[in-house]
Amino acid sequence: MNFAAAAGWSERPPGHGVDIDLQMQWDEAVTTFTRPEPVVYEANIGDATVELHRGTGFIASSDELHVRLSTVLSVKEDIKLGEVRDKWVVPLYDLLSFFWLKNPGVVWVRVQLAEGAGSAQVHYGGRLASADESYKPPMSERLAQLATQGYSFEHLIRGYWQWREGGYGRALELLIESQDPQLDESLQARLLNAFKSVEWYVRTQTGTSDRVKIAKVLEQILDDAGQIGAHIRDMWQARGQQPFGNSIARIRNNYIAHEQSGIIAETTRSQDEPLDQYWHLVALQWLLRRTYLQAMGIDAEDATDLVASSLGYTKDRRAIREHYQKSKNPIP
């Protein structure tokens, strides 16, 4: 599987890592290119082996040699063709989307057919539709927003897979839909997906289908989120009026319809409320990212540090504080 967003991540093993420098492999004196050793990380998931493989590809003619780096996620397992999408492509797509905060771009998916039948390229519709080779999400050439320094590929993949198999995959998918919607980009639709992500997470955690008291749940999540929780509470003190959990619940109850036929309710809003709701969405997304990192098996303090050190989080936190400190019309 080739994802446009995987390249930058694969060049950085635990810690800081190193890039593969193709220029250093070229010897002008003898016009020789020495193929560098690939960077390979491996994890075992049940009977399957998952590899993150960063290597080189060549296009040669009589007088030219074109070399480029290529990153693929390789899964070695004997399964039916119809199972490939849901068992492997979707989970890996969701994982990369979570760390890049963007659609990771499915460039291609290839499968090795039964012995002697060769290989085939598989195309999927919807959000997994193949991207053009030249497609580059904004973060694909840099570190992911949530840089995973210090965690091995195996540690991360295994923890993520266990969490997903525990039933939390839908909670992550809903968070992803709120951060990079593929169909409906309205603010209300994104908010609804973020709210539903919280609800799915709690229901999976408790094993019940009871109504989720979102204000109470978010206060507990804030308590557990360390510095990130403290930051959000501090920002909402600058906002004034209700605490974060209560104001989220107010938006959920007043502006977002119950999930009946996918209809989003609209009520009369003041001029300031759309931006206020947007900042609620952004803060909730960062809070959930930190929560889900820990749930995937990353140490609590490290999960906090991964979010707190993100450039995106730092930028959003500053913008939220400035907005509420300058606001002349506090939201009730």
Side-chain angles (χ1 to χ4, degrees):
M1 283 164 269
N2 188 344
F3 294 89
W9 201 6
S10 67
E11 290 180 354
R12 294 169 172 84
H16 294 283
V18 295
D19 295 336
I20 297 176
D21 189 342
L22 297 181
Q23 188 67 37
M24 294 292 294
Q25 307 301 121
W26 176 251
D27 188 333
E28 294 184 1
V30 292
T31 62
T32 299
F33 180 83
T34 302
R35 186 170 189 164
E37 289 295 319
V39 177
V40 181
Y41 309 106
E42 181 179 300
N44 293 315
I45 306 296
D47 295 331
T49 299
V50 183
E51 290 183 352
L52 181 66
H53 190 284
R54 179 72 160 169
T56 50
F58 297 89
I59 300 177
S61 65
S62 59
D63 58 352
E64 290 183 327
L65 173 66
H66 296 272
V67 183
R68 70 175 183 176
L69 292 170
S70 177
T71 302
V72 296
L73 281 157
S74 172
V75 178
K76 299 176 182 178
E77 185 187 30
D78 292 328
I79 61 172
K80 294 180 180 179
L81 182 60
E83 297 175 354
V84 173
R85 179 189 189 277
D86 291 336
K87 186 168 184 181
W88 292 110
V89 183
V90 170
L92 291 170
Y93 174 97
D94 287 347
L95 181 65
L96 286 171
S97 296
F98 177 66
F99 279 96
W100 260 265
L101 320 188
K102 296 284 184 180
N103 178 357
V106 182
V107 179
W108 50 253
V109 177
R110 295 190 184 123
V111 296
Q112 182 68 42
L113 301 177
E115 187 174 352
S119 63
Q121 188 159 316
V122 182
H123 298 273
Y124 297 111
R127 65 192 183 111
L128 297 180
S130 296
D132 185 85
E133 283 276 1
S134 61
Y135 172 69
K136 297 291 183 183
M139 291 303 298
S140 66
E141 295 303 312
R142 294 181 287 163
L143 271 176
Q145 285 277 343
L146 302 180
T148 56
Q149 295 182 7
Y151 283 87
S152 71
F153 178 72
E154 181 176 16
H155 181 145
L156 183 62
I157 291 289
R158 288 172 67 94
Y160 166 65
W161 231 264
Q162 290 172 1
W163 189 67
R164 188 181 184 92
E165 290 178 348
Y168 294 92
R170 181 57 179 157
L172 183 65
E173 185 178 321
L174 287 163
L175 174 60
I176 291 167
E177 289 176 4
S178 81
Q179 70 185 22
D180 187 35
Q182 299 299 301
L183 297 176
D184 189 342
E185 297 192 9
S186 72
L187 175 60
Q188 282 71 36
R190 297 177 68 190
L191 276 164
L192 178 58
N193 283 327
F195 296 151
K196 289 167 69 175
S197 180
V198 176
E199 292 165 350
W200 190 280
Y201 175 74
V202 173
R203 287 171 179 156
T204 303
Q205 193 175 52
T206 60
T208 69
S209 57
D210 295 342
R211 183 176 180 272
V212 175
K213 298 179 180 178
I214 199 165
K216 182 178 180 180
V217 166
L218 287 178
E219 287 305 311
Q220 183 61 56
I221 291 177
L222 286 166
D223 287 343
D224 296 339
Q227 185 182 31
I228 304 304
H231 287 168
I232 292 174
R233 282 186 165 132
D234 180 59
M235 290 184 287
W236 257 253
Q237 283 184 355
R239 175 181 181 272
Q241 306 300 320
Q242 295 178 322
F244 180 71
N246 293 72
S247 57
I248 283 282
R250 171 182 172 273
I251 293 172
R252 178 71 168 98
N253 295 332
N254 293 354
Y255 294 102
I256 309 300
H258 298 293
E259 301 99 70
Q260 298 175 350
S261 304
I263 298 173
I264 306 300
E266 280 285 0
T267 62
T268 303
R269 295 184 296 176
S270 71
Q271 185 176 357
D272 292 338
E273 283 184 291
L275 185 55
D276 177 62
Q277 291 181 10
Y278 173 73
W279 289 129
H280 276 78
L281 171 64
V282 170
L284 179 57
Q285 287 170 337
W286 284 113
L287 181 62
L288 291 180
R289 288 166 191 145
R290 188 258 166 232
T291 300
Y292 294 172
L293 281 169
Q294 182 178 352
M296 290 177 199
I298 292 181
D299 178 80
E301 291 186 7
D302 290 340
T304 295
D305 290 343
L306 288 173
V307 171
S309 62
S310 164
L311 294 177
Y313 174 76
T314 302
K315 180 180 177 181
D316 287 339
R317 182 186 171 206
R318 183 185 306 117
I320 292 171
R321 285 188 58 83
E322 290 178 354
H323 171 75
Y324 289 130
Q325 286 175 345
K326 296 177 181 178
S327 177
K328 296 179 181 180
N329 300 301
I331 306 298

